Amino acid sequence: MERIILLCLVSTCLSAIHAQKFLFSPKWGPVGYKEREENEGTAMDEIIKANGFQASRIIDGTTTLRDGDIAVSSGRRSKVCFARSCLWSKSVDGHVYVAYRLSTDYSEMETKMIKKGMESVEKGTCVRFVPRTHERDYVDIQPKSGCWSYLGARGGRQTVSLQSPGCLRVGVISHEFMHALGFVHEQSRFDRDKYVTIMWPNIWRDRLRNFEKFKTDNLDLPYDYGSIMHFGMFAYSQDGSPTIIPKNNQNSKDIKLGQASSLSHIDKMKINKLYKCGGKDDY
Ligand SMILES: [Zn+2]
């Protein structure tokens, strides 16, 4: 009798192990991103994690998320911004001042981190973030649910959501500010198929639209695999297989997609070109 009980226990244990494997195997475990073994994930990997795999893409009744983290209102204004960037105005001194209001819900440490994200955008570009005094147009930084931003300057107050924790990494913060400045994801460029292959069958079916192309103005700049705005190789993967791979060429194995914590050199050039800041390095 004891033997039978023992056998039963062993078999229960085995099936529990089996069930665990089933639950946590790459095929069935949480999907949508894959941690890199050696390096940090990309900024977008963090964003996908924070915004949740099953989370609703609807922020409120009239605002939805597009491409994973770009807020779009059902009003006409944001559609125009998608077709061509809506720019922040440039000051006579050559800088682009982006006024901001920071939620008082952030701790001192969190505030420091957000300011680091701002500095990462400011360094080598003509953009300057300034605390709002009277400006009509400004970004309202709030710890709402998820990491997201509207695209470009919408006029008036516009929210940038940096949830705490989850979005308070320098890379994530600068990624969202890049959206606010008017940039879409790098692999949304109209000419991206020359540089990367989208592995459509590997993408979580629900998120296929996140890989759309747009009629972007590429500002005569080369395709930037290492942009802070590039999806990582496993973005929205349904089974752990790559969803974007660099096109075959001699160096394709060395190419890393995306960036963890800082703007790439080309990202900075993009800002300076879009805002006609001359591309000087001495801002
Ligand atoms: Zn994004």
Side-chain angles (χ1 to χ4, degrees), residues 49-89:
K49 224 191 293 183
N51 288 4
F53 307 111
Q54 308 284 352
S56 168
R57 279 159 290 173
I58 298 165
I59 297 170
D60 58 41
T62 54
T63 311
T64 51
L65 280 190
R66 188 167 180 172
D67 289 5
D69 67 332
I70 303 177
V72 182
S73 285
S74 48
R76 225 158 31 141
R77 225 166 27 151
S78 50
K79 279 180 192 154
V80 175
C81 282
F82 245 100
R84 64 189 164 82
S85 293
C86 297
L87 302 186
W88 294 84
S89 51

Side-chain angles (χ1 to χ4, degrees), residues 46-203:
E46 297 293 327
I47 293 166
I48 293 172
K49 224 191 293 183
N51 288 4
F53 307 111
Q54 308 284 352
S56 168
R57 279 159 290 173
I58 298 165
I59 297 170
D60 58 41
T62 54
T63 311
T64 51
L65 280 190
R66 188 167 180 172
D67 289 5
D69 67 332
I70 303 177
V72 182
S73 285
S74 48
R76 225 158 31 141
R77 225 166 27 151
S78 50
K79 279 180 192 154
V80 175
C81 282
F82 245 100
R84 64 189 164 82
S85 293
C86 297
L87 302 186
W88 294 84
S89 51
K90 204 166 124 190
S91 155
V92 282
D93 72 4
H95 287 117
V96 173
Y97 292 101
V98 177
Y100 70 87
R101 197 184 74 103
L102 199 57
S103 165
T104 48
D105 292 341
Y106 290 116
S107 70
E108 201 179 319
M109 283 297 287
E110 291 168 340
T111 301
K112 267 190 188 158
M113 191 56 84
I114 294 170
K115 291 196 172 159
K116 270 192 182 170
M118 292 175 177
E119 282 161 22
S120 136
V121 174
E122 290 174 345
K123 202 174 170 214
T125 77
C126 59
V127 172
R128 295 292 177 268
F129 291 93
V130 288
R132 176 178 186 246
T133 49
H134 59 280
E135 292 85 351
R136 194 181 70 93
D137 303 341
Y138 66 102
V139 286
D140 191 10
I141 304 162
Q142 292 182 42
K144 289 189 173 258
S145 174
C147 335
W148 48 264
S149 167
Y150 289 90
L151 192 69
R154 287 162 44 86
R157 181 180 74 89
Q158 67 184 77
T159 306
V160 170
S161 170
L162 297 171
Q163 178 193 307
S164 168
C167 309
L168 294 179
R169 303 250 190 137
V170 176
V172 172
I173 297 163
S174 18
H175 178 109
E176 296 307 335
F177 287 147
M178 285 287 283
H179 281 316
L181 287 170
F183 298 97
V184 291
H185 296 128
E186 186 70 3
Q187 79 287 334
S188 303
R189 277 172 63 136
F190 71 83
D191 60 347
R192 63 106 187 273
D193 295 324
K194 280 195 232 164
Y195 306 97
V196 291
T197 306
I198 305 294
M199 308 297 284
W200 295 103
N202 299 344
I203 299 169

